[in-house]
């Protein structure tokens, strides 16, 4: 997730204070990993330095003065370019999961035990995501579905790899 570009997108919607940007980011994009205020303001500072946002007049509030951030034409163009660019197709051919299996086989360790432990961890996470999906709203359900589909794919790969461990062991030892 690109925090700077996501904040630019939120600013394209309307000029906002850092507090409001953090709230909206966390509500839609920060599931399990909310932004800290320090990260929000540091990112806004870099965006201002690079001419992507401008800082409006300070406004008095209940606490310290608040600054409203406004996206510039340059920031809007960068956001629009990013939005139009498709996300790189995944998965990559090299994953940590694959590397651990191959290394376990190369070293004569229990690759099947690792796959079983990974399968159990994936099943636990799937149960957590199903609960999030059941208890949450539409945004939570869609995010949970995304995670569930990836876990299902990994589980299929784990089963296929477990069935081929002997052949894979032979291939990596020769």
């Amino acid at each position: 997730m690109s925090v700077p570009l996501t904040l630019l997108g939120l600013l394209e919607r309307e000029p906002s204070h850092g507090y409001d940007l953090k709230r909206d980011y966390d509500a839609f994009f920060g599931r399990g990993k909310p932004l800290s205020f320090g990260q929000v303001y540091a990112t806004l500072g870099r965006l201002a330095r690079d001419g992507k946002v401008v800082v409006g007049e300070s406004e008095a509030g209940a606490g310290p003065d608040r600054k409203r951030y406004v996206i510039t034409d340059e920031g809007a163009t960068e956001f629009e370019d990013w939005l139009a660019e498709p996300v790189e197709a995944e998965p990559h051919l090299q994953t940590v999961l694959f590397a651990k299996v191959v290394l376990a086989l190369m070293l004569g360790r229990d690759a099947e035990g690792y796959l079983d432990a990974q399968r159990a961890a994936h099943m636990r996470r799937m149960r957590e995501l199903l609960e999030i999906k059941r208890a949450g709203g539409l945004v939570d359900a869609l995010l949970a579905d995304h995670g569930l589909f990836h876990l299902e794919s990994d589980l299929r790969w784990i089963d296929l790899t477990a069935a081929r461990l002997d052949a894979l062991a032979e291939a990596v030892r020769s």
Side-chain angles (χ1 to χ4, degrees):
M1 171 69 67
S2 171
V3 172
L5 289 162
T6 304
L7 293 179
L8 284 175
L10 292 171
L11 285 170
E12 186 169 284
R13 181 183 57 170
E14 65 182 346
S16 299
H17 300 104
Y19 175 85
D20 297 326
L21 290 168
K22 178 191 173 359
R23 181 198 63 220
D24 290 348
Y25 182 97
D26 290 351
F28 291 102
F29 312 109
R31 298 299 200 277
K33 192 174 180 188
L35 290 179
S36 69
F37 281 106
Q39 185 177 7
V40 170
Y41 289 108
T43 302
L44 289 169
R46 285 189 300 278
L47 289 170
R49 177 199 67 206
D50 296 341
K52 312 261 171 60
V53 301
V54 292
V55 182
E57 300 271 334
S58 292
E59 303 169 4
D65 287 349
R66 298 170 41 147
K67 298 175 185 168
R68 186 176 300 273
Y69 295 85
V70 180
I71 193 169
T72 63
D73 289 342
E74 184 180 344
T77 299
E78 182 171 329
F79 171 72
E80 191 63 39
D81 290 346
W82 175 74
L83 195 59
E85 184 70 27
V87 174
E88 184 178 337
E90 290 187 38
H92 301 285
L93 290 179
Q94 208 55 281
T95 68
V96 173
L97 189 58
F98 178 77
K100 285 185 173 190
V101 171
V102 169
L103 287 169
L105 291 171
M106 284 179 170
L107 300 170
R109 301 219 177 132
D110 185 13
E112 188 169 5
Y114 167 70
L115 289 172
D116 289 342
Q118 190 64 57
R119 184 183 295 110
H122 274 42
M123 296 301 291
R124 279 191 302 275
R125 183 61 179 147
M126 288 178 87
R127 284 189 292 277
E128 292 168 0
L129 290 173
L130 287 169
E131 181 57 28
I132 289 169
K133 185 176 171 176
R134 187 192 66 71
L138 178 60
V139 170
D140 290 327
L142 288 171
L143 289 170
D145 280 339
H146 188 265
L148 286 165
F149 296 151
H150 281 272
L151 290 170
E152 287 172 1
S153 176
D154 279 356
L155 287 170
R156 286 196 324 264
W157 182 85
I158 288 169
D159 290 342
L160 179 68
T161 302
R164 295 178 174 173
L165 272 181
D166 290 338
L168 182 58
E170 182 103 10
V172 300
R173 289 185 187 137
S174 55

